[in-house]
PDB file of all heavy atoms in Angstrom:
ATOM      1  N   ALA A  19      10.586   9.136   0.150  1.00  0.00           N
ATOM      2  CA  ALA A  19      11.425   9.585   1.259  1.00  0.00           C
ATOM      3  C   ALA A  19      10.600   9.752   2.526  1.00  0.00           C
ATOM      4  O   ALA A  19       9.388   9.964   2.476  1.00  0.00           O
ATOM      5  CB  ALA A  19      12.102  10.900   0.884  1.00  0.00           C
ATOM      6  N   ALA A  20      11.277   9.670   3.651  1.00  0.00           N
ATOM      7  CA  ALA A  20      10.620   9.843   4.944  1.00  0.00           C
ATOM      8  C   ALA A  20      10.272  11.310   5.177  1.00  0.00           C
ATOM      9  O   ALA A  20      11.016  12.206   4.784  1.00  0.00           O
ATOM     10  CB  ALA A  20      11.528   9.349   6.060  1.00  0.00           C
ATOM     11  N   SER A  21       9.147  11.529   5.834  1.00  0.00           N
ATOM     12  CA  SER A  21       8.775  12.868   6.301  1.00  0.00           C
ATOM     13  C   SER A  21       9.542  13.146   7.590  1.00  0.00           C
ATOM     14  O   SER A  21      10.177  12.249   8.146  1.00  0.00           O
ATOM     15  CB  SER A  21       7.274  12.937   6.571  1.00  0.00           C
ATOM     16  OG  SER A  21       6.558  12.719   5.381  1.00  0.00           O
ATOM     17  N   ALA A  22       9.439  14.362   8.094  1.00  0.00           N
ATOM     18  CA  ALA A  22      10.157  14.755   9.318  1.00  0.00           C
ATOM     19  C   ALA A  22       9.813  13.844  10.501  1.00  0.00           C
ATOM     20  O   ALA A  22      10.675  13.564  11.335  1.00  0.00           O
ATOM     21  CB  ALA A  22       9.846  16.207   9.658  1.00  0.00           C
ATOM     22  N   ASP A  23       8.570  13.349  10.570  1.00  0.00           N
ATOM     23  CA  ASP A  23       8.171  12.484  11.692  1.00  0.00           C
ATOM     24  C   ASP A  23       8.476  11.007  11.439  1.00  0.00           C
ATOM     25  O   ASP A  23       8.117  10.156  12.245  1.00  0.00           O
ATOM     26  CB  ASP A  23       6.690  12.672  12.018  1.00  0.00           C
ATOM     27  CG  ASP A  23       5.764  12.228  10.894  1.00  0.00           C
ATOM     28  OD1 ASP A  23       6.242  11.807   9.808  1.00  0.00           O
ATOM     29  OD2 ASP A  23       4.533  12.308  11.103  1.00  0.00           O
ATOM     30  N   GLY A  24       9.129  10.694  10.311  1.00  0.00           N
ATOM     31  CA  GLY A  24       9.473   9.311  10.001  1.00  0.00           C
ATOM     32  C   GLY A  24       8.428   8.586   9.174  1.00  0.00           C
ATOM     33  O   GLY A  24       8.647   7.455   8.741  1.00  0.00           O
ATOM     34  N   SER A  25       7.284   9.210   8.936  1.00  0.00           N
ATOM     35  CA  SER A  25       6.247   8.550   8.140  1.00  0.00           C
ATOM     36  C   SER A  25       6.707   8.421   6.683  1.00  0.00           C
ATOM     37  O   SER A  25       7.537   9.187   6.210  1.00  0.00           O
ATOM     38  CB  SER A  25       4.925   9.307   8.230  1.00  0.00           C
ATOM     39  OG  SER A  25       5.062  10.607   7.721  1.00  0.00           O
ATOM     40  N   ARG A  26       6.164   7.428   6.006  1.00  0.00           N
ATOM     41  CA  ARG A  26       6.488   7.167   4.605  1.00  0.00           C
ATOM     42  C   ARG A  26       5.255   6.658   3.886  1.00  0.00           C
ATOM     43  O   ARG A  26       4.369   6.081   4.497  1.00  0.00           O
ATOM     44  CB  ARG A  26       7.564   6.087   4.463  1.00  0.00           C
ATOM     45  CG  ARG A  26       8.932   6.509   4.853  1.00  0.00           C
ATOM     46  CD  ARG A  26       9.911   5.375   4.545  1.00  0.00           C
ATOM     47  NE  ARG A  26      11.223   5.712   5.023  1.00  0.00           N
ATOM     48  CZ  ARG A  26      12.214   6.165   4.262  1.00  0.00           C
ATOM     49  NH1 ARG A  26      12.036   6.321   2.977  1.00  0.00           N
ATOM     50  NH2 ARG A  26      13.385   6.445   4.783  1.00  0.00           N
ATOM     51  N   THR A  27       5.271   6.823   2.566  1.00  0.00           N
ATOM     52  CA  THR A  27       4.196   6.322   1.718  1.00  0.00           C
ATOM     53  C   THR A  27       4.800   5.557   0.547  1.00  0.00           C
ATOM     54  O   THR A  27       5.864   5.922   0.053  1.00  0.00           O
ATOM     55  CB  THR A  27       3.343   7.494   1.186  1.00  0.00           C
ATOM     56  OG1 THR A  27       2.807   8.200   2.301  1.00  0.00           O
ATOM     57  CG2 THR A  27       2.205   7.006   0.319  1.00  0.00           C
ATOM     58  N   ALA A  28       4.102   4.516   0.125  1.00  0.00           N
ATOM     59  CA  ALA A  28       4.533   3.737  -1.029  1.00  0.00           C
ATOM     60  C   ALA A  28       3.351   3.516  -1.954  1.00  0.00           C
ATOM     61  O   ALA A  28       2.213   3.346  -1.512  1.00  0.00           O
ATOM     62  CB  ALA A  28       5.082   2.379  -0.595  1.00  0.00           C
ATOM     63  N   ASP A  29       3.624   3.515  -3.259  1.00  0.00           N
ATOM     64  CA  ASP A  29       2.650   3.022  -4.233  1.00  0.00           C
ATOM     65  C   ASP A  29       2.788   1.509  -4.241  1.00  0.00           C
ATOM     66  O   ASP A  29       3.898   0.978  -4.146  1.00  0.00           O
ATOM     67  CB  ASP A  29       2.940   3.576  -5.625  1.00  0.00           C
ATOM     68  CG  ASP A  29       2.653   5.061  -5.718  1.00  0.00           C
ATOM     69  OD1 ASP A  29       1.751   5.547  -5.008  1.00  0.00           O
ATOM     70  OD2 ASP A  29       3.339   5.744  -6.507  1.00  0.00           O
ATOM     71  N   LEU A  30       1.669   0.816  -4.362  1.00  0.00           N
ATOM     72  CA  LEU A  30       1.639  -0.643  -4.300  1.00  0.00           C
ATOM     73  C   LEU A  30       0.998  -1.185  -5.563  1.00  0.00           C
ATOM     74  O   LEU A  30      -0.061  -0.723  -5.979  1.00  0.00           O
ATOM     75  CB  LEU A  30       0.837  -1.085  -3.069  1.00  0.00           C
ATOM     76  CG  LEU A  30       0.586  -2.573  -2.887  1.00  0.00           C
ATOM     77  CD1 LEU A  30       1.891  -3.331  -2.678  1.00  0.00           C
ATOM     78  CD2 LEU A  30      -0.364  -2.791  -1.713  1.00  0.00           C
ATOM     79  N   ASP A  31       1.650  -2.183  -6.153  1.00  0.00           N
ATOM     80  CA  ASP A  31       1.106  -2.851  -7.333  1.00  0.00           C
ATOM     81  C   ASP A  31       1.330  -4.352  -7.162  1.00  0.00           C
ATOM     82  O   ASP A  31       2.469  -4.792  -6.989  1.00  0.00           O
ATOM     83  CB  ASP A  31       1.804  -2.345  -8.605  1.00  0.00           C
ATOM     84  CG  ASP A  31       1.181  -2.914  -9.856  1.00  0.00           C
ATOM     85  OD1 ASP A  31      -0.046  -2.790 -10.022  1.00  0.00           O
ATOM     86  OD2 ASP A  31       1.917  -3.508 -10.669  1.00  0.00           O
ATOM     87  N   VAL A  32       0.245  -5.124  -7.176  1.00  0.00           N
ATOM     88  CA  VAL A  32       0.318  -6.577  -7.033  1.00  0.00           C
ATOM     89  C   VAL A  32      -0.320  -7.182  -8.278  1.00  0.00           C
ATOM     90  O   VAL A  32      -1.457  -6.856  -8.615  1.00  0.00           O
ATOM     91  CB  VAL A  32      -0.425  -7.061  -5.763  1.00  0.00           C
ATOM     92  CG1 VAL A  32      -0.303  -8.570  -5.611  1.00  0.00           C
ATOM     93  CG2 VAL A  32       0.097  -6.333  -4.524  1.00  0.00           C
ATOM     94  N   ARG A  33       0.416  -8.049  -8.956  1.00  0.00           N
ATOM     95  CA  ARG A  33      -0.080  -8.686 -10.176  1.00  0.00           C
ATOM     96  C   ARG A  33       0.014 -10.203 -10.068  1.00  0.00           C
ATOM     97  O   ARG A  33       0.987 -10.730  -9.527  1.00  0.00           O
ATOM     98  CB  ARG A  33       0.743  -8.250 -11.394  1.00  0.00           C
ATOM     99  CG  ARG A  33       0.662  -6.790 -11.698  1.00  0.00           C
ATOM    100  CD  ARG A  33      -0.657  -6.435 -12.365  1.00  0.00           C
ATOM    101  NE  ARG A  33      -0.812  -4.996 -12.355  1.00  0.00           N
ATOM    102  CZ  ARG A  33      -1.910  -4.377 -11.995  1.00  0.00           C
ATOM    103  NH1 ARG A  33      -2.960  -5.043 -11.640  1.00  0.00           N
ATOM    104  NH2 ARG A  33      -1.983  -3.074 -12.014  1.00  0.00           N
ATOM    105  N   VAL A  34      -0.988 -10.872 -10.604  1.00  0.00           N
ATOM    106  CA  VAL A  34      -0.975 -12.322 -10.716  1.00  0.00           C
ATOM    107  C   VAL A  34      -0.576 -12.626 -12.161  1.00  0.00           C
ATOM    108  O   VAL A  34      -1.329 -12.317 -13.090  1.00  0.00           O
ATOM    109  CB  VAL A  34      -2.342 -12.938 -10.366  1.00  0.00           C
ATOM    110  CG1 VAL A  34      -2.275 -14.453 -10.468  1.00  0.00           C
ATOM    111  CG2 VAL A  34      -2.797 -12.492  -8.978  1.00  0.00           C
ATOM    112  N   SER A  35       0.623 -13.183 -12.334  1.00  0.00           N
ATOM    113  CA  SER A  35       1.168 -13.413 -13.675  1.00  0.00           C
ATOM    114  C   SER A  35       0.248 -14.278 -14.528  1.00  0.00           C
ATOM    115  O   SER A  35      -0.258 -15.300 -14.070  1.00  0.00           O
ATOM    116  CB  SER A  35       2.538 -14.094 -13.589  1.00  0.00           C
ATOM    117  OG  SER A  35       3.454 -13.252 -12.948  1.00  0.00           O
ATOM    118  N   GLY A  36       0.035 -13.824 -15.758  1.00  0.00           N
ATOM    119  CA  GLY A  36      -0.766 -14.575 -16.707  1.00  0.00           C
ATOM    120  C   GLY A  36      -2.251 -14.572 -16.417  1.00  0.00           C
ATOM    121  O   GLY A  36      -3.009 -15.287 -17.065  1.00  0.00           O
ATOM    122  N   GLN A  37      -2.682 -13.785 -15.440  1.00  0.00           N
ATOM    123  CA  GLN A  37      -4.086 -13.750 -15.068  1.00  0.00           C
ATOM    124  C   GLN A  37      -4.580 -12.300 -15.061  1.00  0.00           C
ATOM    125  O   GLN A  37      -3.811 -11.389 -14.782  1.00  0.00           O
ATOM    126  CB  GLN A  37      -4.292 -14.353 -13.670  1.00  0.00           C
ATOM    127  CG  GLN A  37      -3.817 -15.781 -13.542  1.00  0.00           C
ATOM    128  CD  GLN A  37      -4.506 -16.727 -14.500  1.00  0.00           C
ATOM    129  OE1 GLN A  37      -5.706 -16.630 -14.730  1.00  0.00           O
ATOM    130  NE2 GLN A  37      -3.748 -17.641 -15.070  1.00  0.00           N
ATOM    131  N   PRO A  38      -5.851 -12.102 -15.341  1.00  0.00           N
ATOM    132  CA  PRO A  38      -6.417 -10.747 -15.307  1.00  0.00           C
ATOM    133  C   PRO A  38      -6.812 -10.353 -13.885  1.00  0.00           C
ATOM    134  O   PRO A  38      -7.968 -10.049 -13.604  1.00  0.00           O
ATOM    135  CB  PRO A  38      -7.629 -10.869 -16.227  1.00  0.00           C
ATOM    136  CG  PRO A  38      -8.085 -12.286 -16.021  1.00  0.00           C
ATOM    137  CD  PRO A  38      -6.824 -13.086 -15.822  1.00  0.00           C
ATOM    138  N   ALA A  39      -5.827 -10.420 -12.977  1.00  0.00           N
ATOM    139  CA  ALA A  39      -6.129 -10.177 -11.568  1.00  0.00           C
ATOM    140  C   ALA A  39      -4.972  -9.446 -10.901  1.00  0.00           C
ATOM    141  O   ALA A  39      -3.816  -9.630 -11.276  1.00  0.00           O
ATOM    142  CB  ALA A  39      -6.382 -11.501 -10.858  1.00  0.00           C
ATOM    143  N   GLY A  40      -5.309  -8.629  -9.904  1.00  0.00           N
ATOM    144  CA  GLY A  40      -4.277  -7.947  -9.148  1.00  0.00           C
ATOM    145  C   GLY A  40      -4.870  -6.914  -8.223  1.00  0.00           C
ATOM    146  O   GLY A  40      -6.089  -6.856  -8.011  1.00  0.00           O
ATOM    147  N   MET A  41      -3.974  -6.086  -7.676  1.00  0.00           N
ATOM    148  CA  MET A  41      -4.392  -5.034  -6.764  1.00  0.00           C
ATOM    149  C   MET A  41      -3.448  -3.845  -6.942  1.00  0.00           C
ATOM    150  O   MET A  41      -2.248  -4.014  -7.060  1.00  0.00           O
ATOM    151  CB  MET A  41      -4.326  -5.521  -5.314  1.00  0.00           C
ATOM    152  CG  MET A  41      -4.752  -4.466  -4.305  1.00  0.00           C
ATOM    153  SD  MET A  41      -4.807  -5.071  -2.601  1.00  0.00           S
ATOM    154  CE  MET A  41      -3.079  -5.188  -2.200  1.00  0.00           C
ATOM    155  N   THR A  42      -4.032  -2.651  -6.971  1.00  0.00           N
ATOM    156  CA  THR A  42      -3.232  -1.426  -6.959  1.00  0.00           C
ATOM    157  C   THR A  42      -3.689  -0.606  -5.764  1.00  0.00           C
ATOM    158  O   THR A  42      -4.866  -0.616  -5.404  1.00  0.00           O
ATOM    159  CB  THR A  42      -3.405  -0.599  -8.248  1.00  0.00           C
ATOM    160  OG1 THR A  42      -4.794  -0.337  -8.447  1.00  0.00           O
ATOM    161  CG2 THR A  42      -2.842  -1.328  -9.454  1.00  0.00           C
ATOM    162  N   GLY A  43      -2.730   0.061  -5.152  1.00  0.00           N
ATOM    163  CA  GLY A  43      -3.081   0.847  -3.983  1.00  0.00           C
ATOM    164  C   GLY A  43      -1.880   1.561  -3.417  1.00  0.00           C
ATOM    165  O   GLY A  43      -0.978   1.958  -4.149  1.00  0.00           O
ATOM    166  N   ASP A  44      -1.881   1.682  -2.085  1.00  0.00           N
ATOM    167  CA  ASP A  44      -0.775   2.371  -1.427  1.00  0.00           C
ATOM    168  C   ASP A  44      -0.574   1.800  -0.035  1.00  0.00           C
ATOM    169  O   ASP A  44      -1.391   1.043   0.480  1.00  0.00           O
ATOM    170  CB  ASP A  44      -1.021   3.884  -1.371  1.00  0.00           C
ATOM    171  CG  ASP A  44      -2.387   4.251  -0.832  1.00  0.00           C
ATOM    172  OD1 ASP A  44      -2.853   3.612   0.133  1.00  0.00           O
ATOM    173  OD2 ASP A  44      -3.009   5.177  -1.377  1.00  0.00           O
ATOM    174  N   MET A  45       0.579   2.176   0.527  1.00  0.00           N
ATOM    175  CA  MET A  45       0.943   1.762   1.879  1.00  0.00           C
ATOM    176  C   MET A  45       1.428   3.004   2.616  1.00  0.00           C
ATOM    177  O   MET A  45       2.037   3.882   2.009  1.00  0.00           O
ATOM    178  CB  MET A  45       2.039   0.705   1.830  1.00  0.00           C
ATOM    179  CG  MET A  45       1.646  -0.530   1.038  1.00  0.00           C
ATOM    180  SD  MET A  45       3.040  -1.617   0.706  1.00  0.00           S
ATOM    181  CE  MET A  45       3.112  -2.504   2.233  1.00  0.00           C
ATOM    182  N   HIS A  46       1.155   3.043   3.916  1.00  0.00           N
ATOM    183  CA  HIS A  46       1.564   4.192   4.727  1.00  0.00           C
ATOM    184  C   HIS A  46       2.144   3.696   6.040  1.00  0.00           C
ATOM    185  O   HIS A  46       1.513   2.878   6.721  1.00  0.00           O
ATOM    186  CB  HIS A  46       0.365   5.097   5.031  1.00  0.00           C
ATOM    187  CG  HIS A  46      -0.290   5.647   3.819  1.00  0.00           C
ATOM    188  ND1 HIS A  46       0.121   6.815   3.220  1.00  0.00           N
ATOM    189  CD2 HIS A  46      -1.301   5.166   3.062  1.00  0.00           C
ATOM    190  CE1 HIS A  46      -0.627   7.032   2.154  1.00  0.00           C
ATOM    191  NE2 HIS A  46      -1.503   6.042   2.034  1.00  0.00           N
ATOM    192  N   LEU A  47       3.322   4.186   6.392  1.00  0.00           N
ATOM    193  CA  LEU A  47       3.898   3.991   7.717  1.00  0.00           C
ATOM    194  C   LEU A  47       3.694   5.295   8.468  1.00  0.00           C
ATOM    195  O   LEU A  47       4.090   6.355   7.976  1.00  0.00           O
ATOM    196  CB  LEU A  47       5.397   3.693   7.635  1.00  0.00           C
ATOM    197  CG  LEU A  47       5.824   2.368   7.047  1.00  0.00           C
ATOM    198  CD1 LEU A  47       7.351   2.260   7.065  1.00  0.00           C
ATOM    199  CD2 LEU A  47       5.206   1.210   7.808  1.00  0.00           C
ATOM    200  N   SER A  48       3.085   5.227   9.651  1.00  0.00           N
ATOM    201  CA  SER A  48       2.807   6.430  10.429  1.00  0.00           C
ATOM    202  C   SER A  48       3.161   6.196  11.893  1.00  0.00           C
ATOM    203  O   SER A  48       2.818   5.154  12.456  1.00  0.00           O
ATOM    204  CB  SER A  48       1.329   6.798  10.348  1.00  0.00           C
ATOM    205  OG  SER A  48       0.940   6.976   9.007  1.00  0.00           O
ATOM    206  N   PRO A  49       3.822   7.189  12.512  1.00  0.00           N
ATOM    207  CA  PRO A  49       4.102   7.052  13.943  1.00  0.00           C
ATOM    208  C   PRO A  49       2.820   7.195  14.750  1.00  0.00           C
ATOM    209  O   PRO A  49       1.941   7.984  14.404  1.00  0.00           O
ATOM    210  CB  PRO A  49       5.069   8.204  14.219  1.00  0.00           C
ATOM    211  CG  PRO A  49       4.792   9.220  13.167  1.00  0.00           C
ATOM    212  CD  PRO A  49       4.309   8.457  11.963  1.00  0.00           C
ATOM    213  N   VAL A  50       2.712   6.397  15.791  1.00  0.00           N
ATOM    214  CA  VAL A  50       1.624   6.490  16.762  1.00  0.00           C
ATOM    215  C   VAL A  50       2.274   6.335  18.137  1.00  0.00           C
ATOM    216  O   VAL A  50       3.405   5.853  18.228  1.00  0.00           O
ATOM    217  CB  VAL A  50       0.542   5.398  16.544  1.00  0.00           C
ATOM    218  CG1 VAL A  50      -0.185   5.601  15.223  1.00  0.00           C
ATOM    219  CG2 VAL A  50       1.128   4.010  16.614  1.00  0.00           C
ATOM    220  N   PRO A  51       1.605   6.754  19.210  1.00  0.00           N
ATOM    221  CA  PRO A  51       2.203   6.579  20.535  1.00  0.00           C
ATOM    222  C   PRO A  51       2.616   5.114  20.752  1.00  0.00           C
ATOM    223  O   PRO A  51       1.810   4.207  20.590  1.00  0.00           O
ATOM    224  CB  PRO A  51       1.092   6.999  21.500  1.00  0.00           C
ATOM    225  CG  PRO A  51       0.270   7.971  20.689  1.00  0.00           C
ATOM    226  CD  PRO A  51       0.304   7.425  19.283  1.00  0.00           C
ATOM    227  N   GLY A  52       3.884   4.911  21.037  1.00  0.00           N
ATOM    228  CA  GLY A  52       4.387   3.554  21.300  1.00  0.00           C
ATOM    229  C   GLY A  52       4.765   2.754  20.073  1.00  0.00           C
ATOM    230  O   GLY A  52       5.124   1.586  20.201  1.00  0.00           O
ATOM    231  N   GLY A  53       4.671   3.335  18.878  1.00  0.00           N
ATOM    232  CA  GLY A  53       5.058   2.535  17.721  1.00  0.00           C
ATOM    233  C   GLY A  53       4.680   3.111  16.379  1.00  0.00           C
ATOM    234  O   GLY A  53       4.739   4.325  16.162  1.00  0.00           O
ATOM    235  N   THR A  54       4.249   2.209  15.506  1.00  0.00           N
ATOM    236  CA  THR A  54       3.990   2.556  14.106  1.00  0.00           C
ATOM    237  C   THR A  54       2.768   1.801  13.612  1.00  0.00           C
ATOM    238  O   THR A  54       2.582   0.633  13.950  1.00  0.00           O
ATOM    239  CB  THR A  54       5.197   2.154  13.225  1.00  0.00           C
ATOM    240  OG1 THR A  54       6.355   2.828  13.699  1.00  0.00           O
ATOM    241  CG2 THR A  54       4.982   2.482  11.759  1.00  0.00           C
ATOM    242  N   THR A  55       1.954   2.461  12.795  1.00  0.00           N
ATOM    243  CA  THR A  55       0.925   1.743  12.043  1.00  0.00           C
ATOM    244  C   THR A  55       1.398   1.603  10.607  1.00  0.00           C
ATOM    245  O   THR A  55       2.082   2.483  10.074  1.00  0.00           O
ATOM    246  CB  THR A  55      -0.449   2.452  12.050  1.00  0.00           C
ATOM    247  OG1 THR A  55      -0.320   3.731  11.450  1.00  0.00           O
ATOM    248  CG2 THR A  55      -1.009   2.556  13.439  1.00  0.00           C
ATOM    249  N   HIS A  56       1.055   0.490  10.021  1.00  0.00           N
ATOM    250  CA  HIS A  56       1.370   0.191   8.617  1.00  0.00           C
ATOM    251  C   HIS A  56       0.038  -0.091   7.937  1.00  0.00           C
ATOM    252  O   HIS A  56      -0.544  -1.159   8.106  1.00  0.00           O
ATOM    253  CB  HIS A  56       2.302  -1.025   8.552  1.00  0.00           C
ATOM    254  CG  HIS A  56       2.708  -1.402   7.174  1.00  0.00           C
ATOM    255  ND1 HIS A  56       3.406  -2.559   6.928  1.00  0.00           N
ATOM    256  CD2 HIS A  56       2.540  -0.814   5.966  1.00  0.00           C
ATOM    257  CE1 HIS A  56       3.650  -2.659   5.630  1.00  0.00           C
ATOM    258  NE2 HIS A  56       3.116  -1.615   5.034  1.00  0.00           N
ATOM    259  N   LEU A  57      -0.458   0.897   7.220  1.00  0.00           N
ATOM    260  CA  LEU A  57      -1.747   0.800   6.539  1.00  0.00           C
ATOM    261  C   LEU A  57      -1.526   0.329   5.106  1.00  0.00           C
ATOM    262  O   LEU A  57      -0.687   0.880   4.386  1.00  0.00           O
ATOM    263  CB  LEU A  57      -2.437   2.168   6.526  1.00  0.00           C
ATOM    264  CG  LEU A  57      -3.726   2.290   5.712  1.00  0.00           C
ATOM    265  CD1 LEU A  57      -4.839   1.446   6.334  1.00  0.00           C
ATOM    266  CD2 LEU A  57      -4.144   3.745   5.612  1.00  0.00           C
ATOM    267  N   VAL A  58      -2.255  -0.705   4.702  1.00  0.00           N
ATOM    268  CA  VAL A  58      -2.213  -1.227   3.336  1.00  0.00           C
ATOM    269  C   VAL A  58      -3.613  -1.075   2.764  1.00  0.00           C
ATOM    270  O   VAL A  58      -4.580  -1.616   3.313  1.00  0.00           O
ATOM    271  CB  VAL A  58      -1.791  -2.718   3.306  1.00  0.00           C
ATOM    272  CG1 VAL A  58      -1.757  -3.238   1.874  1.00  0.00           C
ATOM    273  CG2 VAL A  58      -0.452  -2.919   4.005  1.00  0.00           C
ATOM    274  N   ARG A  59      -3.725  -0.307   1.670  1.00  0.00           N
ATOM    275  CA  ARG A  59      -5.020  -0.099   1.002  1.00  0.00           C
ATOM    276  C   ARG A  59      -4.868  -0.435  -0.469  1.00  0.00           C
ATOM    277  O   ARG A  59      -3.841  -0.128  -1.079  1.00  0.00           O
ATOM    278  CB  ARG A  59      -5.453   1.362   1.099  1.00  0.00           C
ATOM    279  CG  ARG A  59      -5.871   1.827   2.426  1.00  0.00           C
ATOM    280  CD  ARG A  59      -6.449   3.201   2.336  1.00  0.00           C
ATOM    281  NE  ARG A  59      -5.482   4.132   1.742  1.00  0.00           N
ATOM    282  CZ  ARG A  59      -5.402   5.410   2.031  1.00  0.00           C
ATOM    283  NH1 ARG A  59      -6.235   5.938   2.886  1.00  0.00           N
ATOM    284  NH2 ARG A  59      -4.511   6.179   1.464  1.00  0.00           N
ATOM    285  N   GLY A  60      -5.922  -1.031  -1.024  1.00  0.00           N
ATOM    286  CA  GLY A  60      -5.863  -1.313  -2.443  1.00  0.00           C
ATOM    287  C   GLY A  60      -7.210  -1.657  -3.026  1.00  0.00           C
ATOM    288  O   GLY A  60      -8.179  -1.914  -2.308  1.00  0.00           O
ATOM    289  N   ASP A  61      -7.247  -1.629  -4.344  1.00  0.00           N
ATOM    290  CA  ASP A  61      -8.418  -2.049  -5.107  1.00  0.00           C
ATOM    291  C   ASP A  61      -8.084  -3.372  -5.774  1.00  0.00           C
ATOM    292  O   ASP A  61      -7.168  -3.448  -6.591  1.00  0.00           O
ATOM    293  CB  ASP A  61      -8.768  -1.009  -6.180  1.00  0.00           C
ATOM    294  CG  ASP A  61      -9.265   0.291  -5.578  1.00  0.00           C
ATOM    295  OD1 ASP A  61      -9.929   0.231  -4.525  1.00  0.00           O
ATOM    296  OD2 ASP A  61      -8.995   1.351  -6.158  1.00  0.00           O
ATOM    297  N   VAL A  62      -8.827  -4.412  -5.400  1.00  0.00           N
ATOM    298  CA  VAL A  62      -8.638  -5.751  -5.952  1.00  0.00           C
ATOM    299  C   VAL A  62      -9.509  -5.877  -7.191  1.00  0.00           C
ATOM    300  O   VAL A  62     -10.710  -5.580  -7.142  1.00  0.00           O
ATOM    301  CB  VAL A  62      -9.009  -6.833  -4.916  1.00  0.00           C
ATOM    302  CG1 VAL A  62      -8.867  -8.225  -5.513  1.00  0.00           C
ATOM    303  CG2 VAL A  62      -8.159  -6.674  -3.658  1.00  0.00           C
ATOM    304  N   ARG A  63      -8.892  -6.298  -8.286  1.00  0.00           N
ATOM    305  CA  ARG A  63      -9.639  -6.445  -9.541  1.00  0.00           C
ATOM    306  C   ARG A  63      -9.378  -7.815 -10.164  1.00  0.00           C
ATOM    307  O   ARG A  63      -8.238  -8.254 -10.248  1.00  0.00           O
ATOM    308  CB  ARG A  63      -9.191  -5.389 -10.555  1.00  0.00           C
ATOM    309  CG  ARG A  63      -9.732  -4.024 -10.306  1.00  0.00           C
ATOM    310  CD  ARG A  63      -9.473  -3.101 -11.496  1.00  0.00           C
ATOM    311  NE  ARG A  63     -10.152  -1.845 -11.322  1.00  0.00           N
ATOM    312  CZ  ARG A  63      -9.641  -0.815 -10.656  1.00  0.00           C
ATOM    313  NH1 ARG A  63      -8.460  -0.899 -10.124  1.00  0.00           N
ATOM    314  NH2 ARG A  63     -10.329   0.307 -10.543  1.00  0.00           N
ATOM    315  N   VAL A  64     -10.460  -8.433 -10.600  1.00  0.00           N
ATOM    316  CA  VAL A  64     -10.391  -9.639 -11.424  1.00  0.00           C
ATOM    317  C   VAL A  64     -11.261  -9.340 -12.630  1.00  0.00           C
ATOM    318  O   VAL A  64     -12.482  -9.249 -12.514  1.00  0.00           O
ATOM    319  CB  VAL A  64     -10.886 -10.894 -10.675  1.00  0.00           C
ATOM    320  CG1 VAL A  64     -10.833 -12.114 -11.584  1.00  0.00           C
ATOM    321  CG2 VAL A  64     -10.057 -11.121  -9.412  1.00  0.00           C
ATOM    322  N   THR A  65     -10.638  -9.150 -13.779  1.00  0.00           N
ATOM    323  CA  THR A  65     -11.372  -8.667 -14.964  1.00  0.00           C
ATOM    324  C   THR A  65     -11.795  -9.811 -15.879  1.00  0.00           C
ATOM    325  O   THR A  65     -11.473  -9.836 -17.047  1.00  0.00           O
ATOM    326  CB  THR A  65     -10.529  -7.644 -15.739  1.00  0.00           C
ATOM    327  OG1 THR A  65      -9.286  -8.247 -16.089  1.00  0.00           O
ATOM    328  CG2 THR A  65     -10.277  -6.391 -14.923  1.00  0.00           C
TER     329      THR A  65
END
């Protein structure tokens, strides 16, 4: 859900089907003067 200032957070999971590879992390929408930042962070793994 959105916070009072409109910011939001998401859990992120990216998988490559049939492969031992992917990324887990999070995403953040945050208000900034004049707009929004969309931060994408994750740990990339190839096992």
